[in-house]
Amino acid sequence: EKLKHRGLNVSKPSGPREHAIQRVASYDSPTVEALQATAYAIEGWRCSVAEESHNVTNARFEIGSNSGDGMTGEPCGRQIWHQPTLSTQSKPLSNEQEALVQEMARAGRLPGFDPSQNPNSGDVIFRAQMIRAYISQPGNTPPDLTTQPSTAKDAVEKAVKFYGMLQTSDGHWAGDYGGPHFLLPGMIIVWYVLGQPPQMINAAQAKCMAHYLMNHQQTDGGWGTHTDGGWGTHIESPSTMFGSTLCYVALRLLGLPPTHKSSIRAIEFLQTNGGVLHTGSWAKFYLCLLGVMDWKGHNCVPAELWLLPNWVPFHPGRMWCHCRMVYLPMGYLFGVKYVYEKAEMDPLIAELRRELYTQDYTTIQWDETRHWVADMDNYSPLPATMKLLHNVLALYEQSTLLAPIRNALRKRGLAFCVEYMHAEDLQTNYIDIGPVNKVLNLLCTSHQLSSSTHTTTVEKNIILNHPRMVRHMMR
């Protein structure tokens, strides 16, 4: 209030949300078989950083280290997980040393991943790798775990020694970029519609991704004794239709059959809560790309809004940076009505159309479902004004009378999106601002290159090997 009186514009937090989430995430303790599966899934993986990570990526894309087509930019801070060949794996420690490594890496946790105790990974695998490398060097000794510090100075020195073991070769401290359940599925969906290129996700990575998703499937999302089998929007969230839709679809695209127990529980959860017509808008967007939802069921994302003067309050450029850079490729993909080109002949898409809905896919009145959202996802309900504006945009999108004007503006808006996305790719060295717009920019690049060269399905390999596509997938 004092800042307001001084004429400064500040935001003042309001009270608690009227639709605050009352449920909590709930997981079962893992079975012995699940713990064994986790141990098997993580075996042989290594995190490479800095220049080593560049070399790993170049090798994966069969690019020589001296080639100008390889990884560029600052390598410091980069992290990548891969499975090294047996000849490059480090020498194993003794059983006693390995037990010490695991005890320090777990930092007080019990062995194995137990989401019912803590759904966060704790970077145990990475920490074990770093500690193992540290104590393998002659003269290096780990902190003494049998004694307690007697002074604050002793405690600080012990902590510094511990974290010194975790510091990577280029000087940074690496960390797990996990938690949200709407990042990985987006990458998997884009990978699938691009034809599942192995240089983007290989078989070993796909297997680990599926294992990760199944590890985070919940058993009780706050509904008493009801086992819901869903996923949260993030790993500490109770089950939501948003998280469950994306995670289940991702698992199916990774090869999980509909008869698997995880699939059966997920389908039951989705259908019990009305089907994916009640999921969040970003999930609906990905479903439209995949061809398991009609674009008429998604609210309008017009690329031509970028053509408005910058002073207009709802100009996309006035959005928060992440929203702005996600709206950019979404506007392009909505504008071209992108749909997976093999959707109508892919048997997996036909199966998903049956599994995700509570009614026959061909009978759905898509336009009526645009505003539908499950109560469990409705954390911030749309006001009537926003719904009205969405309805106006829907009329604009569907109007035959306005088609000439819309098509002319759409063409200019799409051209702006292409130019802006390419600038974002170049300015960030194809890393982009975050993982959501990263994979959408990749898909837009593929579509734009295909459109400009009139590439046929047979020639898709040409597009995947285009320098811009390779640089996208390398990062």
Side-chain angles (χ1 to χ4, degrees):
E1 287 296 330
K2 291 181 180 178
L3 291 174
K4 276 190 175 181
H5 291 319
R6 294 176 188 171
L8 299 176
N9 292 320
V10 296
S11 62
K12 183 178 179 182
S14 57
R17 295 268 187 171
E18 292 181 7
H19 294 262
I21 298 174
Q22 302 298 325
R23 301 172 296 123
V24 295
S26 180
Y27 297 93
D28 269 344
S29 295
T31 62
V32 173
E33 291 77 12
L35 291 173
Q36 290 174 340
T38 297
Y40 176 75
I42 66 177
E43 187 176 356
W45 287 89
R46 171 180 170 79
C47 180
S48 290
V49 301
E51 196 64 46
E52 181 185 340
S53 75
H54 276 201
N55 295 336
V56 169
T57 300
N58 286 336
R60 180 173 175 179
F61 282 80
E62 300 180 346
I63 296 172
S65 57
N66 296 323
S67 170
D69 296 328
M71 289 292 293
T72 60
E74 174 59 65
C76 292
R78 186 171 187 258
Q79 309 154 29
I80 185 170
W81 286 91
H82 64 106
Q83 286 187 311
T85 59
L86 290 175
S87 60
T88 60
Q89 291 181 5
S90 56
K91 184 180 178 181
L93 303 176
S94 67
N95 291 340
E96 183 181 355
Q97 287 176 313
E98 184 61 30
L100 178 63
V101 166
Q102 294 298 330
E103 184 179 359
M104 287 190 289
R106 292 197 305 269
R109 292 189 182 194
L110 295 173
F113 177 68
D114 186 351
S116 69
Q117 298 299 314
N118 191 334
N120 297 278
S121 72
D123 283 334
V124 174
I125 307 169
F126 172 76
R127 290 184 170 205
Q129 174 186 313
M130 296 302 296
I131 297 169
R132 197 178 293 120
Y134 177 84
I135 66 176
S136 296
Q137 297 298 317
N140 285 351
T141 57
D144 185 0
L145 301 185
T146 63
T147 62
Q148 293 291 327
S150 57
T151 66
K153 181 174 179 293
D154 290 342
V156 170
E157 288 178 346
K158 191 172 185 178
V160 168
K161 189 166 188 177
F162 174 75
Y163 282 102
M165 295 190 298
L166 304 181
Q167 189 176 19
T168 60
S169 58
D170 64 342
H172 84 284
W173 280 266
D176 170 35
Y177 186 44
H181 274 153
F182 53 87
L183 304 181
L184 179 61
M187 178 183 179
I188 293 168
I189 290 170
V190 169
W191 163 77
Y192 191 85
V193 301
L194 286 176
Q196 305 123 66
Q199 61 268 49
M200 186 173 171
I201 299 176
N202 61 34
Q205 291 171 321
K207 186 175 181 180
C208 274
M209 288 174 180
H211 181 77
Y212 170 86
L213 291 170
M214 285 190 286
N215 263 353
H216 286 97
Q217 186 174 23
Q218 296 188 24
T219 54
D220 187 343
W223 301 100
T225 58
H226 176 61
T227 54
D228 65 22
W231 287 264
T233 300
H234 54 83
I235 58 177
E236 295 185 357
S237 157
S239 294
T240 61
M241 287 295 285
F242 179 48
S244 300
T245 299
L246 287 174
C247 290
Y248 175 64
V249 169
L251 273 171
R252 293 287 279 117
L253 299 182
L254 290 171
L256 194 73
T259 53
H260 191 281
K261 62 180 181 180
S262 290
S263 297
I264 293 171
R265 289 165 52 212
I267 293 170
E268 181 184 1
F269 173 81
L270 292 171
Q271 296 204 352
T272 299
N273 290 284
V276 298
L277 292 175
H278 297 269
T279 192
S281 61
W282 278 17
K284 289 182 179 181
F285 190 90
Y286 281 114
L287 295 179
C288 291
L289 297 178
L290 188 58
V292 292
M293 180 173 282
D294 193 288
W295 278 111
K296 292 188 180 72
H298 194 284
N299 279 314
C300 187
V301 190
E304 46 269 39
L305 285 187
W306 287 102
L307 306 177
L308 292 170
N310 288 339
W311 52 262
V312 175
F314 48 85
H315 187 286
R318 302 177 72 87
M319 296 179 183
W320 177 50
C321 58
H322 282 275
C323 294
R324 175 171 72 244
M325 301 314 292
V326 169
Y327 184 95
L328 183 67
M330 281 188 170
Y332 178 88
L333 293 166
F334 177 87
V336 300
K337 299 298 188 293
Y338 183 96
V339 177
Y340 169 44
E341 62 182 5
K342 296 182 180 179
E344 296 305 321
M345 38 187 165
D346 189 331
L348 178 54
I349 301 304
E351 290 176 12
L352 287 172
R353 288 177 177 178
R354 289 193 297 270
E355 296 164 12
L356 299 177
Y357 297 94
T358 58
Q359 66 184 91
D360 186 278
Y361 186 81
T362 60
T363 66
I364 298 172
Q365 301 299 309
W366 295 105
D367 189 63
E368 297 176 6
T369 70
R370 286 183 294 106
H371 300 312
W372 290 7
V373 62
D375 287 341
M376 67 175 66
D377 288 47
N378 204 14
Y379 183 64
S380 185
L382 282 181
T385 305
M386 180 61 78
K387 289 184 179 180
L388 175 62
L389 292 173
H390 275 309
N391 291 337
V392 170
L393 282 174
L395 292 173
Y396 160 79
E397 188 68 23
Q398 298 164 15
S399 171
T400 305
L401 185 64
L402 294 176
I405 298 174
R406 183 181 64 246
N407 293 341
L409 292 174
R410 180 69 46 88
K411 184 176 181 180
R412 289 180 56 201
L414 294 175
F416 179 93
C417 289
V418 169
E419 183 180 3
Y420 195 174
M421 282 187 288
H422 189 41
E424 161 80 351
D425 294 339
L426 292 176
Q427 289 164 0
T428 64
N429 202 15
Y430 289 85
I431 296 173
D432 296 328
I433 198 171
V436 178
N437 83 314
K438 163 68 184 178
V439 295
L440 294 179
N441 277 21
L442 169 64
L443 185 58
C444 291
T445 300
S446 169
H447 180 270
Q448 192 259 324
L449 290 172
S450 300
S451 302
S452 61
T453 58
H454 305 289
T455 307
T456 64
T457 304
V458 180
E459 297 168 315
K460 275 293 177 186
N461 240 11
I462 298 173
I463 295 300
L464 289 175
N465 290 319
H466 189 282
R468 284 172 60 188
M469 291 293 289
V470 171
R471 291 199 182 282
H472 256 305
M473 288 188 286
M474 289 175 79
R475 289 158 179 81

